[in-house]
Amino acid sequence: MIKVLIADNHPIVRMGIKNVLNSASDFEIVDDVATTTELFTKLKTLTPDVVILEMDIPEINGIASLRKLKQEYPDIKVLIYSGQSEDVYALSTIRAGAFGYLSKTADLDYIISAVRKVSEGNMFITNELAQRLAFDEGTQKPRRFFRKLSTREVEVLKLLASGKRNKDVALGLNLNEKTVSTYKARLMKKLNVDNLVDLLQQAKALELY
């Protein structure tokens, strides 16, 4: 039996995951929790094989919880189950120690196959995400993602990351400032952020520069 602990602050989501997993014969739901305090309290007495962890769980965010969990309970496999954008957050969570990332918009059948795969110590992402991100399953490591960024966008991103202002970026790349602003807006849209700080944070997490 694969022992599973569900950590999500939405009761309907916890109930839904339990119903899906209970429809298969090889899962045992050992408990479900709504906060990170509850999660780490339960882990003192429970030893699940897999924790299904919501990215936006209250108190400590998903990635910080994931790092803490991996440090304190290295044998527990973590599957991130999230409403956040796969394109932006999947790589960040895998780098932080997750064995898989599943969007809440994915088909329900994915939950069963994802938990099984993760419990065996294998990486899980959806086929659609793998195709978009050029995930290298051979080495089980993400390659450089976001090939959808153009060469010029990467150049602009690198200069912004080095602390240069729009004016300096324009001079460095022989562009006008308005064009640089357009590139910056395009980068924010592609990386699903709405300010420069988050843009650079995501770009760093995704090794875009």
Side-chain angles (χ1 to χ4, degrees), residues 61-78:
N61 74 47
I63 289 186
S65 299
L66 173 60
R67 289 199 178 105
K68 179 177 165 67
L69 208 156
K70 295 308 292 180
Q71 188 175 6
E72 295 181 9
Y73 304 95
D75 294 334
I76 295 175
K77 311 295 189 297
V78 180

Side-chain angles (χ1 to χ4, degrees), residues 69-151:
L69 208 156
K70 295 308 292 180
Q71 188 175 6
E72 295 181 9
Y73 304 95
D75 294 334
I76 295 175
K77 311 295 189 297
V78 180
L79 173 67
I80 298 291
Y81 188 53
S82 175
Q84 298 286 356
S85 168
E86 283 182 318
D87 280 1
V88 174
Y89 289 100
L91 177 56
S92 303
T93 55
I94 288 166
R95 286 194 190 289
F99 271 78
Y101 189 100
L102 184 60
S103 169
K104 288 183 176 179
T105 60
D107 290 343
L108 289 176
D109 291 346
Y110 270 127
I111 296 175
I112 291 174
S113 54
V115 175
R116 281 179 182 151
K117 196 166 185 181
V118 166
S119 73
E120 295 164 357
N122 296 316
M123 198 66 70
F124 177 88
I125 56 173
T126 62
N127 294 334
E128 295 84 354
L129 183 60
Q131 287 166 9
R132 288 203 302 276
L133 302 184
F135 191 81
D136 187 351
E137 290 203 16
T139 60
Q140 295 207 345
K141 290 181 181 176
R143 296 175 188 161
R144 300 241 165 198
F145 287 7
F146 285 92
R147 292 178 180 177
K148 61 185 176 184
L149 293 188
S150 69
T151 304

Side-chain angles (χ1 to χ4, degrees), residues 2-208:
I2 301 167
K3 292 186 285 185
V4 179
L5 192 154
I6 302 161
D8 191 296
N9 65 314
H10 301 98
I12 192 85
V13 173
R14 297 198 304 274
M15 184 179 73
I17 296 172
K18 280 192 279 189
N19 285 343
V20 171
L21 294 181
N22 283 333
S23 70
S25 59
D26 53 339
F27 297 104
E28 178 192 348
I29 312 299
V30 294
D31 216 328
D32 63 280
V33 298
T35 67
T36 47
T37 298
E38 288 178 36
L39 172 63
F40 287 102
T41 299
K42 294 288 185 184
L43 288 176
K44 289 176 183 174
T45 55
L46 296 172
T47 53
D49 300 305
V50 177
V51 169
I52 298 176
L53 178 63
E54 156 60 27
M55 184 82 169
D56 294 322
I57 194 163
E59 299 171 349
I60 310 173
N61 74 47
I63 289 186
S65 299
L66 173 60
R67 289 199 178 105
K68 179 177 165 67
L69 208 156
K70 295 308 292 180
Q71 188 175 6
E72 295 181 9
Y73 304 95
D75 294 334
I76 295 175
K77 311 295 189 297
V78 180
L79 173 67
I80 298 291
Y81 188 53
S82 175
Q84 298 286 356
S85 168
E86 283 182 318
D87 280 1
V88 174
Y89 289 100
L91 177 56
S92 303
T93 55
I94 288 166
R95 286 194 190 289
F99 271 78
Y101 189 100
L102 184 60
S103 169
K104 288 183 176 179
T105 60
D107 290 343
L108 289 176
D109 291 346
Y110 270 127
I111 296 175
I112 291 174
S113 54
V115 175
R116 281 179 182 151
K117 196 166 185 181
V118 166
S119 73
E120 295 164 357
N122 296 316
M123 198 66 70
F124 177 88
I125 56 173
T126 62
N127 294 334
E128 295 84 354
L129 183 60
Q131 287 166 9
R132 288 203 302 276
L133 302 184
F135 191 81
D136 187 351
E137 290 203 16
T139 60
Q140 295 207 345
K141 290 181 181 176
R143 296 175 188 161
R144 300 241 165 198
F145 287 7
F146 285 92
R147 292 178 180 177
K148 61 185 176 184
L149 293 188
S150 69
T151 304
R152 183 61 94 188
E153 286 166 349
V154 172
E155 288 175 331
V156 170
L157 185 57
K158 283 179 178 175
L159 290 172
L160 290 171
S162 69
K164 295 192 183 300
R165 295 170 300 173
N166 285 15
K167 184 179 178 181
D168 302 319
V169 174
L171 283 170
L173 296 178
N174 199 21
L175 301 169
N176 63 50
E177 273 191 72
K178 190 175 179 182
T179 304
V180 172
S181 295
T182 301
Y183 275 120
K184 192 193 289 186
R186 202 180 295 163
L187 284 163
M188 286 183 183
K189 186 176 180 182
K190 284 187 176 183
L191 296 184
N192 196 31
V193 296
D194 56 13
N195 61 72
L196 184 60
V197 173
D198 285 349
L199 172 68
L200 298 182
Q201 218 170 27
Q202 283 299 343
K204 187 173 183 180
L206 295 164
E207 290 191 351
L208 296 179

